[in-house]
Amino acid sequence: GYGATGGEIFLSGVVGERFCVRNSGATAVVEGVGDHGCEYMTGGRVVVLGPTGRNFGAGMSGGVAYVYDPDETFAAKLNRDMAALADLDDDDRAFLHATVTAHHGHTGSAVAARVLADWPVTAESFRKVMPRDYARVLAVMKDAEAAGLDEAATLDRVMEASRG
């Protein structure tokens, strides 16, 4: 099944290779993806409720992907040239619960129902894929906000961080 609202895509079932390549802002949920998922992704958020192929996240410079990985096999499939695994925080868990719930509502997905049935235990089986440079910029922005910096000073700090 398929359901979409605004910038959201909900697909029940496994999709082929190169899902969400060059995604720049959509939120997408899928139940499995072949090789090269989230390749060259620059924005948005992707939730994968099943297996992935090799080379996940190659060239990923922005956005966030979450992969349900109860068997702990995903790390070997991640292309770590530009992205890394990161810890989930409470905002990630809330986003995942709301997004998987919406996916279930739009598609009637049995996979989503199984994931939601044992929440929050299943939440701990999600792996967060975060581009390294993007993570660094987000951290700088958060620190600048906490320090009460204005927009120009924040931009200066972001530019400094992006240069390495």
Side-chain angles (χ1 to χ4, degrees), residues 93-153:
R93 289 179 192 85
F95 166 78
L96 283 166
H97 187 264
T99 303
V100 174
T101 299
H103 174 70
H104 181 261
H106 287 290
T107 66
S109 165
V111 174
R114 284 192 301 273
V115 169
L116 293 168
D118 199 19
W119 199 270
V121 172
T122 52
E124 299 312 310
S125 291
F126 278 91
R127 306 296 166 244
K128 180 179 180 179
V129 178
M130 191 76 163
R132 282 186 200 81
D133 291 343
Y134 184 58
R136 189 168 53 242
V137 167
L138 291 178
V140 167
M141 290 174 65
K142 183 177 179 181
D143 291 347
E145 181 180 338
L149 298 181
D150 65 16
E151 187 175 334

Side-chain angles (χ1 to χ4, degrees), residues 44-115:
R45 293 193 273 190
V46 173
V47 178
V48 181
L49 297 176
T52 70
R54 64 181 178 79
N55 202 35
F56 190 93
M60 187 177 177
S61 62
V64 181
Y66 302 91
V67 178
Y68 183 61
D69 184 33
D71 299 329
E72 299 183 10
T73 59
F74 174 69
K77 298 174 183 178
L78 177 63
N79 183 315
R80 295 176 185 262
D81 287 346
M82 294 177 67
L85 294 176
D87 294 331
L88 294 179
D89 61 24
D90 290 340
D91 290 338
D92 294 318
R93 289 179 192 85
F95 166 78
L96 283 166
H97 187 264
T99 303
V100 174
T101 299
H103 174 70
H104 181 261
H106 287 290
T107 66
S109 165
V111 174
R114 284 192 301 273
V115 169

Side-chain angles (χ1 to χ4, degrees), residues 1-63:
Y2 168 79
T5 59
E8 299 175 324
I9 302 167
F10 302 96
L11 297 168
S12 62
V14 177
V15 297
E17 295 183 7
R18 292 189 156 81
F19 181 71
C20 275
V21 170
R22 300 195 188 281
N23 180 25
S24 63
T27 296
V29 181
V30 67
E31 295 177 2
V33 61
D35 295 343
H36 316 294
C38 298
E39 186 177 40
Y40 301 113
M41 188 168 143
T42 62
R45 293 193 273 190
V46 173
V47 178
V48 181
L49 297 176
T52 70
R54 64 181 178 79
N55 202 35
F56 190 93
M60 187 177 177
S61 62

